[in-house]
Amino acid sequence: MDKFSIQGGARLEGEVSTSGSKNAALPVLAACLLTEEPVVLHRIPKVRDIGTMKKLLRHAGAELEELGNGTVRVQACAIRKPEAPYDLVKTMRASSLVLGPLAARTGRARVSLPGGCAIGARPINLHVAGLEQLGARLEQSHGYIEAKVEGRLQGTQIRFERITVTGTEDLLMAATLAEGETVLENAAREPEVTDLAELLTKMGARIEGAGTSAIRVQGVEKLHGAEHTIIADRIEAGTFLMAGAITGGDLVVRDCQPEHLEELTAKMRQAGATITEEGPGALRVRGSGRLRAVDATTAEYPGFATDLQAQYMALMTQAQGISFITETIFENRFMHVLELARMGANIRIEGSQAIVAGPSPLSGANVIASDLRASASLVLAALVADGETVVDRVYHIDRGYEKIEEKLAAAGARIKRAGSK
Ligand code: EPZ
């Protein structure tokens, strides 16, 4: 099991480049199941979760060809096996993204229920309820959800009782092939949803309102092939901006989309970091060395991203004052707190709120990553801790960050990957 060894104290300088968005790539890859024609996708990041999604597509019968430099060609001529098996789903809950496409394309889908997850129960009841409203019959047996569709899915009005990103994506994909009109109300507005809708539209889908909370779809008989470049990974870019700020460095984050990071950059500026646009798709962050505590409450897009909460908490351990960080999306997304405390952070949890008192001098320690974004939080803390930090179980971080240690080292961080001894 790989580990990271990080010597704290280096200021990050120079530049890092952002990869394509993991959370855009996952639904976009699943969308390839909706057509028998080839789909060519650019800027697909090489991270573990994408590898899992590629295995899922091959398992269903799609052919994938790696064309190099993040370009993938997917062609699902025939769906041999409309199924997402447990051994793949247990490693990536976003496998539920194939449920809608398989049901819409083949009239059948058998998807393992995702198990628990470190950050919360994360059920997929809203995906299931939406598919039932589209006319599928779903049953649960032996840990699997089995969907059966007589004829075609039937367009309808679906109102999500709570905003769900992959739930919106799953049902948006299903609706593109349903008969008639579907309206998704209280839909997620994340940029990754909009990016998926752009690909689907290129494939011949008829979609209005993507990026708003009401998405209207006119179903079509078939979708055709397309070519698409996915958006930049806003969470990776945000993580790097905070790495630049926490080390008091001077870092340019390239190939990102500043318009997707406005909530974070506004908060970081309020905290005293200097963030400027350095030309198209580039943000420059300069840490002032004296950060001020600023509260954050996570919310669905365009609110403060829950996927940046753990990283922001690490930043606030170095800010002067008390910051209140409230997590509203997941019920257990403070796994990083105990590890940060072991490094010397002063954080108290009260329900869904973490109260951070700073600045606290951090000291290097052996820490364990528990989930993808908690791992990123520990790396940020390690960059400013005194001495060496060893982060164990970095497979968590490899799920969503492409070569993070190489990118950070190129900007001056003293970080290296060590295989398990
Ligand atoms: C997506 O997960 C992201 N993953 C997550 O990123 C992100 O944290 C999350 O959205 C919130 O922004 C991908 O896009 C692949 P949700 P998703 O459905 O879609 C509850 C990362 O770090 N819910 O929006 O699974 C759920 O339990 C990952 O890259 C139901 O109750 O999240 C949660 O409390 C982590 N029933 C809330 O809604 C459902 O059927 C939001 O979940 C679905 C969700």
Side-chain angles (χ1 to χ4, degrees):
M1 217 177 280
D2 283 2
K3 303 178 180 198
F4 281 160
S5 166
I6 302 166
Q7 286 293 345
R11 294 175 70 246
L12 293 194
E13 293 176 327
E15 55 184 57
V16 286
S17 124
T18 313
S19 299
S21 161
K22 162 182 87 82
N23 290 348
L26 288 167
V28 151
L29 282 163
C32 300
L33 294 170
L34 291 165
T35 177
E36 60 197 17
E37 296 184 15
V39 179
V40 176
L41 302 169
H42 300 289
R43 206 175 176 190
I44 300 295
K46 286 205 175 325
V47 295
R48 283 170 68 98
D49 277 1
I50 298 304
T52 305
M53 180 56 82
K54 289 174 180 173
K55 286 181 192 154
L56 274 173
L57 297 182
R58 288 195 173 98
H59 181 87
E63 284 158 26
L64 280 83
E65 196 183 345
E66 302 285 352
L67 302 178
N69 199 22
T71 296
V72 181
R73 181 183 184 280
V74 186
Q75 184 161 14
C77 293
I79 306 278
R80 262 198 328 272
K81 208 166 191 183
E83 180 193 80
Y86 174 70
D87 62 326
L88 288 176
V89 175
K90 73 183 177 195
T91 65
M92 184 189 66
R93 54 186 316 96
S95 310
S96 55
L97 280 166
V98 302
L99 183 60
L102 289 174
R105 171 85 188 275
T106 70
R108 290 284 179 278
R110 184 172 183 270
V111 174
S112 168
L113 273 167
C117 166
I119 62 177
R122 301 181 72 185
I124 58 166
N125 58 310
L126 301 179
H127 301 232
V128 170
L131 264 180
E132 283 174 335
Q133 283 185 260
L134 286 170
R137 271 190 311 105
L138 288 97
E139 285 165 16
Q140 181 178 328
S141 71
H142 306 296
Y144 279 79
I145 281 282
E146 310 216 359
K148 287 190 178 62
V149 184
E150 298 307 323
R152 265 178 88 184
L153 292 172
Q154 296 301 310
T156 185
Q157 182 152 357
I158 295 171
R159 177 167 185 74
F160 291 104
E161 66 186 56
R162 76 172 290 175
I163 292 172
T164 160
V165 176
T166 50
T168 299
E169 293 164 343
D170 217 349
L171 295 170
L172 172 59
M173 289 187 278
T176 59
L177 291 179
E179 187 163 6
E181 179 179 79
T182 298
V183 182
L184 302 179
E185 295 199 335
N186 199 27
R189 297 186 282 166
E190 270 69 4
E192 294 77 25
V193 174
T194 307
D195 202 29
L196 170 64
E198 274 183 30
L199 167 65
L200 292 168
T201 303
K202 288 177 185 175
M203 292 168 70
R206 293 170 53 203
I207 301 168
E208 285 168 23
T212 75
S213 53
I215 303 177
R216 192 176 293 273
V217 183
Q218 302 302 332
V220 294
E221 293 273 334
K222 282 173 87 75
L223 292 178
H224 52 72
E227 182 158 3
H228 183 68
T229 300
I230 65 170
I231 55 173
D233 193 312
R234 61 191 167 97
I235 306 303
E236 184 194 22
T239 304
F240 286 140
L241 285 173
M242 288 190 268
I246 201 170
T247 58
D250 182 348
L251 184 69
V252 175
V253 180
R254 289 213 176 288
D255 307 320
C256 68
Q257 288 174 251
E259 68 275 18
H260 295 159
L261 286 157
E262 286 172 359
E263 188 64 23
L264 173 70
T265 48
K267 208 161 277 298
M268 287 178 69
R269 287 187 181 110
Q270 215 186 324
T274 304
I275 298 180
T276 48
E277 300 230 357
E278 286 282 300
L283 285 172
R284 179 180 178 188
V285 58
R286 275 161 285 176
S288 65
R290 275 184 322 287
L291 290 167
R292 292 184 296 276
V294 175
D295 296 348
T297 299
T298 65
E300 295 87 356
Y301 193 87
F304 190 88
T306 173
D307 291 350
L308 290 171
Q309 177 259 105
Q311 301 91 312
Y312 184 74
M313 191 180 296
L315 185 66
M316 285 298 104
T317 68
Q318 302 308 300
Q320 176 67 43
I322 307 276
S323 54
F324 290 82
I325 299 176
T326 309
E327 172 57 56
T328 69
I329 307 292
F330 292 107
E331 63 269 26
N332 187 37
R333 203 170 197 174
F334 285 148
M335 305 282 279
H336 42 288
V337 169
L338 293 178
E339 294 301 273
L340 290 173
R342 290 183 60 245
M343 296 174 74
N346 181 344
I347 307 172
R348 199 172 76 248
I349 295 178
E350 286 186 2
S352 63
Q353 196 164 59
I355 300 138
V356 184
S360 313
L362 301 180
S363 56
N366 286 3
V367 291
I368 292 187
S370 54
D371 60 86
L372 169 54
R373 307 303 174 182
S375 335
S377 169
L378 298 178
V379 169
L380 292 190
L383 290 175
V384 289
D386 175 36
E388 182 189 32
T389 297
V390 176
V391 182
D392 203 348
R393 300 186 187 169
V394 292
Y395 63 83
H396 285 294
I397 209 163
D398 291 335
R399 295 188 55 175
Y401 291 90
E402 192 174 16
K403 302 193 188 85
I404 190 169
E405 78 277 14
E406 292 176 22
K407 292 186 181 184
L408 289 175
R414 290 186 296 228
I415 177 171
K416 63 182 192 314
R417 180 182 292 259
S420 48
K421 298 222 177 14

